[in-house]
Amino acid sequence: MDFADVSASERPYLPPAVAVSTVAFALNPPSGALVVGQGVRHDAAGESSATLWIPLVRRTRAPYLGRWALPGGPTRWDETLADTALRSIRAAAQCTPGYLEQLYAFGGVERSADAQRLVTIAYWAMLGEDDLSTAVPGGAEGGSTGASTAEQAGGRRWDDPRVDPPRAETGAAIDESGRADANVAWCSADALPDLAFDHSAITDYALARLRSKTEYAAVAHRFLGPVFTIGQLRAVHEAVLGYAVDPANFRRQILARGALIDTGERETGSPHRPARLYRFSNEAAPEFPDARPQPRRPA
């Protein structure tokens, strides 16, 4: 039922609409992606460290026309909540996350203003190097319905106007290099713009969940490839926890834990002395739930 078609006396009694919003974390934006903001954090002592990145979509309709928002939208009648989260990430990031977890339900009565009340189920995901290596900016992963990537990732809200604004007002474009829709951008999680709705609160909650993870090896294992250097592992540590660490102390402590195995190989293509490549031991490399959609059982 369309909210606009319901009388004012009936609107307070409509059941809430259900939507999904997803915060997808990555160590770096995919190659060729539109990037907004800086990817280096400076602490009080002036030390710099890497930050996490998340994809955002620009609102192409009122409310919050032109404002950045998290990928997501209403869940479809034939989708699970996780399916909706995965669809929105694929449309925005052009890849499938290796890890996806339900975060929290946001259902404050003040969220929807004068529109139909909306309950949003938030998810958070981790996009590793292997996940992003399959990303194809401007490609067909997000679908080929003719809608912009931002529209696919954000979905049509229950309170969107029925007539879309002129295309020129949205700023959407695909440049000559084939880069992704200009209404999709990767932003540093520590320097986000003012987001639409309560998406800033959702992002803060997701960051807190990620940084409170006690299984540090599990987080690092998901962001990195099968082999990595100590420096790359330290970058994950700094990006997730939000501060720089001493390289020598980090190396000594991480090796003392016995969670890493020296592969006997060194990285290639480095202008400096090639660093040793490590992998997690079987005990330190946890099993993760498969984020890919599972076949539906016949009714």
Side-chain angles (χ1 to χ4, degrees):
M1 180 180 296
D2 194 316
F3 184 71
D5 294 335
V6 179
S7 68
S9 61
E10 293 175 319
R11 289 177 182 178
Y13 301 100
L14 287 178
V18 178
V20 169
S21 292
T22 307
V23 186
F25 295 110
L27 288 182
N28 295 289
S31 176
L34 177 64
V35 173
V36 176
Q38 299 296 318
V40 177
R41 176 199 304 111
H42 295 275
D43 61 20
E47 296 291 332
S48 63
S49 60
T51 71
L52 295 169
W53 293 83
I54 65 172
L56 298 175
V57 296
R58 195 196 309 271
R59 288 283 302 173
T60 60
R61 306 181 184 91
Y64 298 102
L65 177 65
R67 188 84 63 85
W68 293 107
L70 293 171
T75 189
R76 297 172 179 170
W77 71 270
D78 58 348
E79 285 182 328
T80 66
L81 295 172
D83 287 339
T84 305
L86 286 170
R87 171 170 55 84
S88 67
I89 295 175
R90 291 192 187 107
Q94 303 300 322
C95 66
T96 299
Y99 181 76
L100 180 72
E101 179 182 329
Q102 192 173 122
L103 178 67
Y104 194 71
F106 293 81
V109 295
E110 74 285 352
R111 304 180 74 237
S112 307
D114 295 328
Q116 182 180 1
R117 184 178 178 186
L118 178 71
V119 174
T120 292
I121 310 300
Y123 279 78
W124 70 282
M126 286 188 280
L127 297 170
E129 292 181 351
D130 291 343
D131 303 324
L132 291 175
S133 66
T134 63
V136 182
E141 178 101 16
S144 56
T145 62
S148 71
T149 307
E151 289 166 342
Q152 296 169 34
R156 179 177 289 277
R157 284 172 53 93
W158 77 103
D159 57 354
D160 281 338
R162 296 184 180 184
V163 179
D164 293 342
R167 191 63 173 174
E169 295 180 14
T170 69
I174 297 179
D175 65 23
E176 294 178 358
S177 68
R179 190 168 60 181
D181 191 325
N183 280 331
V184 176
W186 286 77
C187 302
S188 167
D190 290 295
L192 294 175
D194 187 17
L195 302 182
F197 308 108
D198 56 354
H199 289 188
S200 293
I202 295 175
T203 303
D204 289 344
Y205 197 100
L207 272 170
R209 171 71 66 85
L210 177 63
R211 288 169 175 167
S212 68
K213 281 288 186 181
T214 56
E215 296 180 10
Y216 165 70
V219 173
H221 185 269
R222 179 51 59 193
F223 278 126
L224 296 171
V227 296
F228 46 85
T229 67
I230 296 273
Q232 291 169 335
L233 186 60
R234 188 182 76 252
V236 174
H237 186 97
E238 293 177 338
V240 171
L241 295 185
Y243 54 81
V245 299
D246 180 74
N249 287 339
F250 179 83
R251 179 184 182 85
R252 182 173 60 256
Q253 292 171 7
I254 199 67
L255 291 178
R257 295 178 183 177
L260 302 183
I261 294 177
D262 190 337
T263 65
E265 301 176 352
R266 292 181 179 270
E267 66 176 340
T268 59
S270 173
H272 308 290
R273 182 182 177 183
R276 292 181 179 274
L277 292 174
Y278 293 83
R279 65 176 176 85
F280 283 111
S281 65
N282 291 335
E283 293 75 16
E287 292 294 329
F288 285 87
D290 193 344
R292 294 170 297 182
Q294 300 300 311
R296 298 183 184 277
R297 295 182 179 180

